[in-house]
Amino acid sequence: ASFVFARAAWLPRQSRADRPRPLRRYVSICVAQRNDDWVHSVHQERAKRLEPTTLDADRFASWRYREAAFRREAAAAAKTANVLDVSYEADLCTDDRAAHLAKIAEFL
């Protein structure tokens, strides 16, 4: 799903980071749920789990349906907001991530 970096829909500016491919979004969520790995401090150590994540086609289809509904609701809520869309993979998983985060901070 999309990650909203800041601000609720009723505020004038929002930044959304998203993965463009649905399967990658789904795998990311499955791994985060399995590892209980949502937000960590840069100072917090955590063990990386290397075992594979099992995916279920029926659950993926159900998730896609729910995600589509969530995206419609989020788009409707953001109609009056100034939105900065960010690609998680292209903008935040790069060597110049700090520059992209600075752009997001400046936008907000």
Side-chain angles (χ1 to χ4, degrees):
S2 297
F3 297 96
V4 178
F5 269 115
R7 310 203 188 247
W10 50 270
L11 292 173
R13 294 178 185 253
Q14 297 179 34
S15 179
R16 293 185 299 227
D18 198 7
R19 292 180 187 272
R21 296 184 181 135
L23 183 57
R24 286 188 179 185
R25 290 193 301 269
Y26 180 67
V27 169
S28 178
I29 286 180
C30 288
V31 169
Q33 287 175 334
R34 178 196 69 193
N35 295 348
D36 193 26
D37 186 18
W38 297 98
V39 177
H40 291 275
S41 164
V42 294
H43 304 291
Q44 182 180 9
E45 288 201 24
R46 56 192 162 126
K48 293 196 179 208
R49 294 175 63 176
L50 300 176
E51 70 270 10
T53 299
T54 303
L55 302 178
D56 180 278
D58 291 333
R59 286 185 178 177
F60 176 60
S62 174
W63 174 85
R64 292 273 322 257
Y65 176 79
R66 291 188 316 268
E67 187 204 33
F70 172 78
R71 285 176 175 269
R72 284 191 301 274
E73 290 175 19
K79 278 186 179 176
T80 60
N82 189 2
V83 177
L84 175 66
D85 287 311
V86 177
S87 168
Y88 181 78
E89 291 158 345
D91 298 329
L92 301 178
C93 293
T94 64
D95 290 339
D96 64 342
R97 174 180 46 207
H100 290 286
L101 291 173
K103 287 179 188 176
I104 293 168
E106 183 179 328
F107 172 79
L108 295 173

